[in-house]
Amino acid sequence: MIDKSYQPTDVEGRIYATWEQSGAFRCGRAESAEAAPYCIVIPPPNVTGSLHMGHALNNTLQDVLARFERMRGRDVLWQPGTDHAGIATQMVVERQLMERQLPTRRALGRAAFLEKVWAWKAESGGTIINQLKRIGASCDWSRERFTMDEGLSKAVLKVFVELYRAGLIYKDKRLVNWDPKLLTAISDLEVQQVEEKGHLWHFRYPVEGRTDTFITVATTRPETMLGDTAVAVHPDDPRYRRLIGKFAILPLVGRRLPIVADSYADPEKGTGAVKITPAHDFNDFEVGRRHDLPLVSVLDREACLNLEGNEAFLDGLPEGSAELSETMQLHGIDRYVARKQIVARMDALGLLAKVETQQHVVPHGDRSGVAIEPYLTDQWYVDAKKLAVPAAAAVRSGRTTFVPKQWEATYFNWMDNIQPWCISRQLWWGHQIPAWYGWALDGDQLSIAKTQIFVAQTEAEALAEARDYYKRDVVLVASLDDSLGSVGFGADKLPETIPVWRDEDVLDTWFSSALWPFSTLGWPEQTREIKRYYPTNALVTGFDIIFFWVARMMMMGLHFMKEVPFHTVYIHALVRDERGAKMSKSKGNVIDPLGLIDEFGADALRFTLAAMAAQGRDIKLSTQRVEGYRNFTTKLWNAARFAEMNGCATVADFDPKSVKQTLNRWIANETQKASIEITEAIESYRFNEAAGAAYRFVWNIFCDWYLELSKPVLLGDDNGSKDETRAMVAFVRDEILKLLHPFMPFITEELWHVTAAPGTKRASLLTLARWPHHTQLLDHASEGEIGWIIDLVTAIRSVRAEMNLTFATELVLVLVGVSAETAARAERWADVVKRLSRLSNITVSQNPPHGSVQLVVRGEVVALPLAGLIDVEAERARLEKELARSQADIARIDAKLGNADFVRRAPEEVVEGEREKREEADARCRKIVEALERLARMS
RNA sequence: GGGCGCGUAGCUCAGCGGAAGAGCACUACCUUGACAUGGUAGGGGUCACAGGUUCGAUCCCUGUCGCGCCCACCA
């Protein structure tokens, strides 16, 4: 017996456990060994993460695909796992140390800290996985991977070493986005532009050798002026042409700044003269290169002024000037404090020409939230420009397709303008870079000015390389600093053992994520999975990580596997709150998917997300919507109960083509139409259309009409018809459970089992491999009959409602001068029509009884005698209104058909369609006119 | 500055070249033997605006006005 109501919380955990235990999520099961493979790799959530609405959407859609393909008999691998999320995880653990008042990361040291992180991961890393299970994700958990697993780490090292050897990874000293809070470099993508109110200060720089001549520059960053090494003007700017080649004197410091001509200087901006600080601005860096300007870095890692002992800064400065020595007092001062003080001094010196207030965008670190600092350091880079060429080409040629297509433009825009990818991070949690250093040989000596790099997959190989290089034994030391003590620089001979140390930095998290589609399959081993599942079929992800992740997987996949990592990239929307705001913790508008699951069930949430996942539009999620789809699960549940209560049990080897009754042929036809619609929609990633088609079919066709129309048979005593109908009800119910299973796996699986024939057990829907298939449509003719019933019943109900005739009032239906076929239909369906429209009797007559309401149903008239109940005038008005509507239809169609161009140029079937419509409308008009005439006679 | 997208019923959104749709909300009626988490019927829209293409435009093109997002940009 099916329970009176469906309780998701009771069912979901139990069902999920049986799925997992049965091994049905696993790829390569014996029964699908011969089947075509289908593979999706999960976008690995951060180990630190907990499930948010974005995950819920992302994984629902993947699960729809995975279950759909599995049910179609394919060998599905949905590859799960998590990402180590370098910065995020390190921050979480550091915060935890602080909260528990434990020693800080630095105090612990690298090894001990990493132990803490691993311990933390062991403890809470499973949270997100368990949450994914709650929404029903059918991943092959036996293959769960973590980006810092041994296998994946091996892949990372191999990729690094190979790219290094191919010259596609290199170390370079250039400006990076430096996060002065986290003390690490970050990539361009991790920088968020934040609009801020700021100031534009106009400073007057004296021109050398000319008293009272100044060149005025504008800056938003006075504190970096100490690192100025030039002033640039546009070569064609008449205001400054005569100053080109002269020198300005940097106030507070006394440095001579060449005034250079460079088209970077924009005469429209600021004063048209721009101070050049190559060590603190990306554009200035380029200008500096063009004019061979020195790089003077005046900030330290923590963005404090760094002046004392700063050789680059001090080089060439006038000694002993009072101004300079006062400036030196600023050493060690934070950038923002220094800014104020420098402005104050410039003002005091009368060199502050003007201050403007303005909005400008300032780059911030997306994790730390502080303004990043362009900072001159040695970092590792990937030559993305080279790797991007095949990656862009693969999409241009269609080997990988984006859905929706417009994202390809975004992808190309990025790929075609790609910058070197900074991959080193000054963190501890991550893949430590497999590079070892020693002092370079300079003849027979070690040079303190240069290091030699040994890149290898293992320490042993790196040390062997070093031994080879030095022709001496080497010893591993902890750091560059440690190496200094053990080397006697300047000694005649090389030391007996040469110190070598490993790069302390780790790789950007996205470096390992970029390998995910093949590293998870076992690469670099040539595993069975690599051969079978790569390239994967679909990648389902959000647009926010097209650059971070998708683009880089394309680059790495093509380079190392010589093949695209996936054929289709489905880009889904962002889930917003019901007012359209981005959900964020700080705004407090986050809807917790687990809360919705608790309240409405996982199926309701999944169905909502799928139903709203229209391509190219964000999802504004409201609880009401979820509630609506929860009601849909209830409807489904009750329909199944109805079937059970009426003895509708699945008949083995039932063939829907064999049914005799019109109603059953009709629903077979409708089922077929629905399954085609749903299948095609999922195949083309139109999840919302698939969900909508399923919803309409189940509710508006199956429940509203088929079950209602089948009641007289099921309750009647014609056993032959009854058996056929019972079998058909059970068949359609089963088809529905299959069609809905990708969207609502729990309730469908539960119903699938509880509706099994008594004493039998059914195999899980998951592995059934019996997705409703498309044979030819079964029967078009049945629509004529069932459609007529539906129209008739609807028309009668309409009249009832209009006339305020409650259900208690039984009416008589009179068929007025109808065809023999219609009369026979009415005869066949008398029970149903009586039941659904609450009639006591159906009769046939050539004329409607006195005081009838006359209705035109599919070109024929039926009447409801309502003597005494109807107002003749009102009835006339009603009919005239209907007549007017039909006449308007005819007029509109005639206008079209009367247009020679339309008839000549519109497609045949469209013209034909219009003619048919005109026929129908005309017939309808005639019937209404007749009805009006009769009404007139009767009154 | 470059690019993408969106303005359709009160709300949230489908549709996107051949007679305006759904869910929710609203109104009226209904404890009819699956379901009140329900049933039946209904009200509600010059499909942002202006041009153009077309036999025909909510749908295609151009422009305007609103709104959102991405990329670039600390003069």
Side-chain angles (χ1 to χ4, degrees), chain A residues 41-93:
Chain A
V41 292
I42 202 171
N46 292 354
V47 268
T48 56
S50 57
L51 194 81
H52 57 60
M53 222 29 109
H55 293 124
L57 170 66
N58 178 248
N59 289 287
T60 293
L61 300 183
Q62 289 176 79
D63 200 41
V64 168
L65 293 173
R67 287 177 188 267
F68 169 67
E69 297 295 356
R70 211 180 272 119
M71 289 179 78
R72 296 167 110 192
R74 295 180 76 171
D75 170 25
V76 171
L77 167 56
W78 183 9
Q79 172 62 52
T82 51
D83 189 277
H84 67 278
I87 296 182
T89 307
Q90 181 163 321
M91 281 171 74
V92 167
V93 176

Side-chain angles (χ1 to χ4, degrees), chain A residues 494-803:
Chain A
L494 287 176
E496 277 311 303
T497 56
I498 310 235
V500 170
W501 62 95
R502 184 169 182 178
D503 196 314
E504 292 185 66
D505 292 349
V506 300
L507 290 165
D508 181 4
T509 297
W510 296 102
F511 190 88
S512 52
S513 317
L515 318 181
W516 190 250
F518 50 95
S519 65
T520 52
L521 298 179
W523 190 88
E525 307 302 324
Q526 265 307 310
T527 58
R528 183 190 148 274
E529 285 80 7
I530 284 279
K531 291 188 196 110
R532 187 161 172 76
Y533 301 107
Y534 193 95
T536 68
N537 298 79
L539 180 80
V540 178
T541 193
F543 60 81
D544 48 335
I545 55 175
I546 290 178
F547 307 144
F548 274 116
W549 194 45
V550 180
R552 288 159 178 177
M553 283 190 287
M554 289 292 290
M555 294 194 270
M556 293 299 196
L558 280 160
H559 188 82
F560 285 96
M561 305 298 293
K562 308 294 171 221
E563 183 49 275
V564 294
F566 21 72
H567 294 305
T568 303
V569 180
Y570 176 77
I571 300 290
H572 64 242
L574 210 64
V575 185
R576 299 169 175 279
D577 75 0
E578 50 200 311
R579 289 192 315 280
K582 208 166 170 171
M583 290 187 193
S584 75
K585 274 183 207 154
S586 53
K587 268 185 253 167
N589 61 346
V590 175
I591 304 176
D592 176 13
L594 298 170
L596 290 176
I597 290 174
D598 289 338
E599 193 175 356
F600 300 110
D603 291 324
L605 175 63
R606 289 170 58 112
F607 203 86
T608 306
L609 292 170
M612 297 186 79
Q615 290 182 6
R617 197 196 277 246
D618 286 345
I619 295 177
K620 289 183 199 163
L621 188 71
S622 78
T623 311
Q624 271 188 337
R625 199 73 191 246
V626 185
E627 192 181 346
Y629 289 117
R630 186 276 318 272
N631 296 352
F632 178 53
T633 63
T634 306
K635 188 75 181 176
L636 177 68
W637 187 261
N638 282 309
R641 282 182 66 218
F642 170 83
E644 183 187 58
M645 292 162 90
N646 285 282
C648 305
T650 306
V651 172
D653 302 324
F654 174 77
D655 180 4
K657 289 203 248 348
S658 71
V659 296
K660 299 285 184 294
Q661 293 180 77
T662 310
L663 178 63
N664 291 332
R665 293 210 309 278
W666 174 76
I667 195 65
N669 199 36
E670 293 293 323
T671 307
Q672 204 64 274
K673 284 196 316 206
S675 84
I676 289 170
E677 202 180 345
I678 293 164
T679 304
E680 289 179 352
I682 300 177
E683 282 174 338
S684 51
Y685 303 92
R686 287 174 287 123
F687 298 99
N688 59 318
E689 287 181 29
Y695 183 95
R696 286 190 299 273
F697 175 63
V698 172
W699 203 313
N700 305 125
I701 303 286
F702 182 68
C703 291
D704 287 352
W705 289 109
Y706 180 64
L707 292 184
E708 291 304 327
L709 294 174
S710 70
K711 279 176 182 174
V713 182
L714 293 171
L715 298 170
D717 42 21
D718 176 346
N719 285 329
S721 304
K722 200 193 280 194
D723 285 347
E724 182 188 285
T725 302
R726 282 171 161 170
M728 194 68 202
V729 169
F731 171 79
V732 179
R733 178 250 282 139
D734 287 351
E735 295 294 280
I736 285 170
L737 294 179
K738 293 180 207 164
L739 290 168
L740 282 177
H741 185 259
F743 299 93
M744 309 205 304
F746 293 106
I747 189 173
T748 51
E749 182 80 325
E750 176 70 358
L751 283 173
W752 184 252
H753 292 294
V754 297
T755 55
T760 66
K761 267 191 85 123
R762 285 176 141 178
S764 166
L765 272 174
L766 253 184
T767 49
L768 199 63
R770 292 277 295 277
W771 182 256
H773 54 284
H774 315 158
T775 51
Q776 73 286 7
L777 293 186
L778 298 169
D779 185 358
H780 293 285
S782 58
E783 202 284 330
E785 181 142 334
I786 305 303
W788 178 75
I789 303 293
I790 290 173
D791 287 358
L792 175 64
V793 168
T794 306
I796 299 169
R797 282 169 170 174
S798 236
V799 169
R800 296 190 84 97
E802 247 173 80
M803 305 263 164

Side-chain angles (χ1 to χ4, degrees), chain A residues 332-350:
Chain A
I333 288 177
D334 175 80
R335 53 185 167 167
Y336 295 115
V337 179
R339 178 180 296 181
K340 278 191 187 143
Q341 298 196 6
I342 285 171
V343 170
R345 285 213 208 174
M346 290 296 282
D347 196 14
L349 291 170

Side-chain angles (χ1 to χ4, degrees), chain A residues 710-909:
Chain A
S710 70
K711 279 176 182 174
V713 182
L714 293 171
L715 298 170
D717 42 21
D718 176 346
N719 285 329
S721 304
K722 200 193 280 194
D723 285 347
E724 182 188 285
T725 302
R726 282 171 161 170
M728 194 68 202
V729 169
F731 171 79
V732 179
R733 178 250 282 139
D734 287 351
E735 295 294 280
I736 285 170
L737 294 179
K738 293 180 207 164
L739 290 168
L740 282 177
H741 185 259
F743 299 93
M744 309 205 304
F746 293 106
I747 189 173
T748 51
E749 182 80 325
E750 176 70 358
L751 283 173
W752 184 252
H753 292 294
V754 297
T755 55
T760 66
K761 267 191 85 123
R762 285 176 141 178
S764 166
L765 272 174
L766 253 184
T767 49
L768 199 63
R770 292 277 295 277
W771 182 256
H773 54 284
H774 315 158
T775 51
Q776 73 286 7
L777 293 186
L778 298 169
D779 185 358
H780 293 285
S782 58
E783 202 284 330
E785 181 142 334
I786 305 303
W788 178 75
I789 303 293
I790 290 173
D791 287 358
L792 175 64
V793 168
T794 306
I796 299 169
R797 282 169 170 174
S798 236
V799 169
R800 296 190 84 97
E802 247 173 80
M803 305 263 164
N804 281 323
L805 302 168
T806 66
F807 209 73
T809 322
E810 288 201 321
L811 302 175
V812 172
L813 179 69
V814 182
L815 307 175
V816 182
V818 297
S819 69
E821 194 194 353
T822 302
R825 270 182 187 162
E827 175 77 34
R828 280 198 295 277
W829 293 95
D831 278 355
V832 167
V833 176
K834 282 183 190 168
R835 181 193 165 85
L836 296 183
S837 15
R838 192 72 175 162
L839 305 173
S840 60
N841 201 7
I842 300 178
T843 65
V844 181
S845 162
Q846 281 314 303
N847 283 299
H850 193 75
S852 291
V853 169
Q854 302 172 70
L855 305 168
V856 181
V857 177
R858 293 210 173 180
E860 291 183 303
V861 176
V862 300
L864 294 166
L866 293 169
L869 288 170
I870 64 162
D871 172 343
V872 175
E873 275 315 304
E875 175 62 4
R876 186 199 316 283
R878 189 184 68 81
L879 284 170
E880 276 171 353
K881 199 171 143 196
E882 266 204 60
L883 180 63
R885 203 180 307 154
S886 290
Q887 284 169 338
D889 282 350
I890 291 173
R892 191 179 39 73
I893 297 169
D894 280 349
K896 264 192 179 183
L897 290 173
N899 182 338
D901 281 329
F902 173 71
V903 180
R904 202 174 67 241
R905 312 183 85 132
E908 184 79 26
E909 64 271 20

Side-chain angles (χ1 to χ4, degrees), chain A residues 93-110:
Chain A
V93 176
E94 283 197 82
R95 194 181 317 129
Q96 205 179 54
L97 291 176
M98 200 173 73
E99 278 163 8
R100 297 185 185 167
Q101 304 193 319
L102 293 168
T104 64
R105 170 166 72 97
R106 302 251 171 228
L108 280 171
R110 186 168 190 140

